[in-house]
Amino acid sequence: MANKRNYAKELNTLIETFTHEEKRPTLLLHACCAPCSSYCLEYLRQYFDVTVFYYNPNISFLEEYRHRVEELKRLVSTLNEEAKGSEMLNQIALLEGTYEPEKFFEATKGLEDCPEGGERCFICYELRLREAARLAAEGGYDFFTTTLTISPLKNAQKLNEIGSQLAEEYHVACLPSDFKKKGGYLRSIELSRQYDLYRQDYCGCVFSKRERDKRIVQES
């Protein structure tokens, strides 16, 4: 079996190629939530002009969707306020996509009983990354990527594979990533505490919530 690629190392190597350039590359960063975005933004804004893109049709409940997007807006606003006057850190932009849960249900029809981390999740990855790639191409960004690879529960190998495929389709580069590496996930927990961010305990879709609820019952 071939060794898995080290996407965290690939990202560092790529960054080294333009660290000393005067103009920073532009990055469209798909964000799933504020906690996952916290470390990603702390790290990436040092090297890129970042636009955060919140697009998550997998979130089945409008109240949950709004809660997460408002927390992300609060985080971005706070980070921008802290960076005022800095010559090293540019302001972070934020774009909110359309809330269209029907697209998620349509794409995952027939996979309702698929376990977490399986084919249904891969389709969900592709759905969100495709919209990010499309918007990045239309907006003339240098790169796109996602915060999803910071989660130990998400398949970083699959996310990068999907990103690479979409990069070829939309002719915009996908930034390799595995943000949980090198203490990234632990740092996101620290930052979540620092900024008092809402940390959800399920992915967002009704199916992950169902599994969460079942687990709570079993552990009680």
Side-chain angles (χ1 to χ4, degrees), residues 28 30 53 127-137 144-145:
L28 186 73
H30 166 264
F53 176 48
L127 184 65
R128 291 187 273 179
L129 279 170
R130 175 172 293 279
E131 186 65 7
R134 183 190 68 79
L135 197 64
F144 75 96
T145 195

Side-chain angles (χ1 to χ4, degrees), residues 26-30 51-53 95 131-132 135-136 141 143-145:
T26 55
L27 169 66
L28 186 73
L29 175 66
H30 166 264
T51 296
V52 177
F53 176 48
L95 296 175
E131 186 65 7
L135 197 64
Y141 289 85
F143 298 95
F144 75 96
T145 195

Side-chain angles (χ1 to χ4, degrees), residues 89-101:
L89 301 175
N90 292 342
Q91 296 289 289
I92 301 165
L94 189 148
L95 296 175
E96 182 181 352
T98 304
Y99 180 49
E100 39 195 10

Side-chain angles (χ1 to χ4, degrees), residues 22-143:
E22 185 174 340
K23 186 176 183 300
R24 296 186 185 191
T26 55
L27 169 66
L28 186 73
L29 175 66
H30 166 264
C32 55
C33 62
C36 288
S37 301
S38 59
Y39 166 72
C40 298
L41 289 172
E42 179 182 68
Y43 176 64
L44 292 170
R45 74 184 309 194
Q46 300 174 76
Y47 311 105
F48 299 88
D49 284 344
V50 182
T51 296
V52 177
F53 176 48
Y54 184 83
Y55 177 72
N56 299 289
N58 59 303
I59 300 177
S60 303
F61 310 99
L62 180 59
E63 182 179 3
E64 180 72 18
Y65 177 92
R66 293 309 318 169
H67 195 171
R68 295 191 193 190
V69 73
E70 291 305 321
E71 280 293 88
L72 182 60
K73 289 178 179 179
R74 181 170 70 85
L75 173 65
V76 169
S77 177
T78 300
L79 293 177
N80 282 339
E81 187 65 28
E82 291 177 350
K84 281 184 177 179
S86 170
E87 295 182 0
M88 300 296 296
L89 301 175
N90 292 342
Q91 296 289 289
I92 301 165
L94 189 148
L95 296 175
E96 182 181 352
T98 304
Y99 180 49
E100 39 195 10
E102 67 281 358
K103 284 195 173 183
F104 169 76
F105 287 116
E106 181 181 349
T108 59
K109 189 174 182 179
L111 296 171
E112 291 83 358
D113 295 322
C114 183
E116 281 291 287
E119 188 62 30
R120 186 184 65 237
C121 292
F122 297 163
I123 290 174
C124 182
Y125 297 167
E126 196 270 347
L127 184 65
R128 291 187 273 179
L129 279 170
R130 175 172 293 279
E131 186 65 7
R134 183 190 68 79
L135 197 64
E138 288 184 359
Y141 289 85
D142 296 310
F143 298 95

